[in-house]
Amino acid sequence: MTQGSVHIPVLLDAVLEGLNVAAHPDGLFIDGTVGAGGHASAILTAAPGSRLLGFDRDPRSLAIAESTLASFGHRVTLIHASFETMDTAAPAHGFAAVDGILLDLGLSSMHVGEAERGFAFKQDGPLDMRFDPSSGGPTAADLVNRLFPDELADIIYRYGEDRDSRRIARAIVAARPITTTRQLADVIAGAHHGPRDKIHPATRTFQALRVAVNDELGTLERVLPRAVALLKPGGRLAVISFHSLEDRIVKQFFKTESTDCLCPPRQIVCTCGHVASLTPITHKPVEADDAEIARNPRSRSAKLRIVEKRGDRADEVTQT
Ligand SMILES: C[S@@+](CC[C@H](N)C(=O)[O-])C[C@H]1O[C@@H](n2cnc3c(N)ncnc32)[C@H](O)[C@@H]1O
C-alpha cells in the first residue's frame, strides 16, 4: 500500500443521518460494501445496541474490516460475497427485515494504493482489477488481450464514456500482449488525440475495464430490488456512487419505484397497476462540501441518494 491509501469513509454524517441510524439504537443494518469498515464502525457506534451484516467481494478488504470492527464482537457478521447475494444470505443470518442498508460503490483507497491489484495506472502492476481475485473470473489482461477490437471499443465507450474508444482499442490491439498497468496507460496516452483533458487519458479506459471485469453495473441493477425487499417499512436504503453510469441506474430505479402508475402520460386509465414502494428522502444527490473534498479528494465525485420503504399501501390504493 502506498502512503495515503488508508480509506476515509465519504459523506459519513450524511449517511448516518440519512439512514436514521440514531433512531434505531437496537436496529439491524446491512453494509453491502463494508470495505475498511469506516461507515460500519460509525453505524455500530451511533446505534449502540444494533447489529450489522457486512458484505465485501474482496477478501483483503474483509480482513481489514474484521480488524476494524473486532471491538464490536458478536454485533458484526461479515460475509465474503457480492452484495447481490443479500436476498438469500441476509435472512440466513437473521437479517430478514432491516432498518437500513448502505451501498458505497466502487473501489476503496486500498485498491488504488496496492499496485499488485492492477487498478491504478500511476503505479506499475499486473493488469488484474478483480475485486475478488479468488473468483477465477477474467482479469483486465484477459479482456485487453483477447477481445475483438470492436468488443474492446464498445466496453471503453459504454463503461468509460470515452469518445476516443475506437482509436484506443486499435492501439491496444496493435500493442498486444499488454500485461501491466503502466504499459496499458502508455499505449492509451499514445493513442489520445486532441487537447489535454484535466484527467489522465487512461482514466476512462481503466474505469471501463474495471466495470466490465467486475460486472459492476449488472450487480448494481440486481441488488437494488433485493435490498428494497429486505427493508422493513420505514427502513432506508442509501447508495453512494462515484460515476454517472452508476448514479443513473440508482436515480432511475429510485424514481420508478417512487412512482405509482408507469403508464404513458397520455393514457387516462392506468393499466399497469404499478404501486410505489419507496419515498425519496434525497431529491437531489448529496455531495461532499469543499472541506470534505480538501480532506478526502476521493469524495469529489461521490453522490449519495436515499430512499425509504413505504408501508403496506394496499388499503390506500384501493380507496383512491
Ligand atoms: C468504496 S469501498 C467501501 C468503503 C467502506 N464504506 C468504508 O467506509 O470503509 C467499496 C468496497 O466495496 C467492495 N465491493 C465492490 N463491489 C462489490 C460487490 N458487488 N459486493 C460486495 N462488495 C463489493 C469493494 O471490494 C470495496 O471494498
Side-chain angles (χ1 to χ4, degrees):
M1 255 190 248
T2 56
Q3 266 205 339
S5 57
V6 174
H7 187 85
I8 306 171
V10 305
L11 297 169
L12 184 56
D13 292 341
V15 166
L16 295 178
E17 198 182 311
L19 283 179
N20 233 347
V21 174
H24 300 284
D26 301 318
L28 291 180
F29 294 93
I30 295 177
D31 185 341
T33 51
V34 73
H39 286 105
S41 168
I43 290 171
L44 288 156
T45 305
S50 63
R51 289 197 296 128
L52 181 137
L53 183 65
F55 289 81
D56 207 294
R57 237 169 151 181
D58 178 3
R60 286 164 80 164
S61 298
L62 214 57
I64 296 172
E66 229 165 67
S67 114
T68 314
L69 303 174
S71 61
F72 296 103
H74 69 276
R75 293 175 56 205
V76 180
T77 306
L78 296 177
I79 301 183
H80 174 220
S82 170
F83 49 56
E84 66 191 299
T85 64
M86 69 170 68
D87 56 335
T88 52
H93 286 84
F95 287 73
V98 304
D99 299 286
I101 300 179
L102 171 65
L103 299 172
D104 174 18
L105 301 171
L107 291 174
S108 75
S109 306
M110 284 100 65
H111 288 125
V112 182
E114 292 174 343
E116 71 275 16
R117 301 299 300 271
F119 289 106
F121 49 78
K122 291 187 182 153
Q123 307 166 58
D124 207 12
L127 259 185
D128 190 326
M129 299 198 197
R130 289 171 299 176
F131 284 132
D132 184 2
S134 65
S135 68
T139 63
D142 292 331
L143 301 190
V144 157
N145 291 310
R146 291 188 195 161
L147 290 181
F148 289 114
D150 282 353
E151 293 173 318
L152 200 50
D154 284 349
I155 286 178
I156 298 170
Y157 185 71
R158 283 174 55 204
Y159 301 151
E161 300 184 292
D162 195 323
R163 276 173 293 162
D164 263 347
S165 57
R166 310 244 153 242
R167 201 197 314 270
I168 293 170
R170 277 199 301 274
I172 289 174
V173 170
R176 281 171 176 176
I178 299 177
T179 55
T180 72
T181 50
R182 187 68 60 71
Q183 198 188 348
L184 178 60
D186 289 346
V187 170
I188 298 166
H192 189 77
H193 276 230
R196 276 218 163 265
D197 245 333
K198 270 195 253 163
I199 57 169
H200 187 285
T203 309
R204 293 194 176 92
T205 300
F206 270 64
Q207 172 185 301
L209 290 170
R210 197 199 85 210
V211 167
V213 163
N214 296 293
D215 186 20
E216 289 181 42
L217 303 185
T219 53
L220 178 59
E221 278 167 347
R222 289 189 289 277
V223 74
L224 292 173
R226 295 175 189 173
V228 169
L230 286 172
L231 290 174
K232 294 176 186 167
R236 290 188 176 182
L237 169 62
V239 187
I240 306 174
S241 57
F242 289 87
H243 55 78
S244 56
L245 299 166
E246 289 172 341
D247 186 53
R248 219 171 287 154
I249 290 172
V250 177
K251 180 179 168 186
Q252 191 52 51
F253 176 81
F254 284 4
K255 186 171 169 212
T256 303
E257 295 311 321
S258 304
T259 306
D260 271 340
C261 165
L262 299 174
C263 292
R266 290 168 69 186
Q267 188 171 318
I268 296 164
V269 178
C270 170
T271 50
C272 75
H274 187 262
V275 177
S277 57
L278 300 174
T279 304
I281 298 298
T282 50
H283 292 278
K284 281 189 171 165
V286 179
E287 298 184 7
D289 60 18
D290 292 346
E292 176 166 0
I293 294 170
R295 233 180 16 253
N296 181 14
R298 203 182 148 269
S299 65
R300 180 176 291 116
S301 46
K303 285 192 163 59
L304 166 67
R305 295 184 189 270
I306 302 171
V307 281
E308 181 173 297
K309 183 160 172 177
R310 300 173 77 144
D312 182 358
R313 298 183 59 224
D315 294 348
E316 203 183 315
V317 172
T318 44
Q319 276 164 24
T320 53

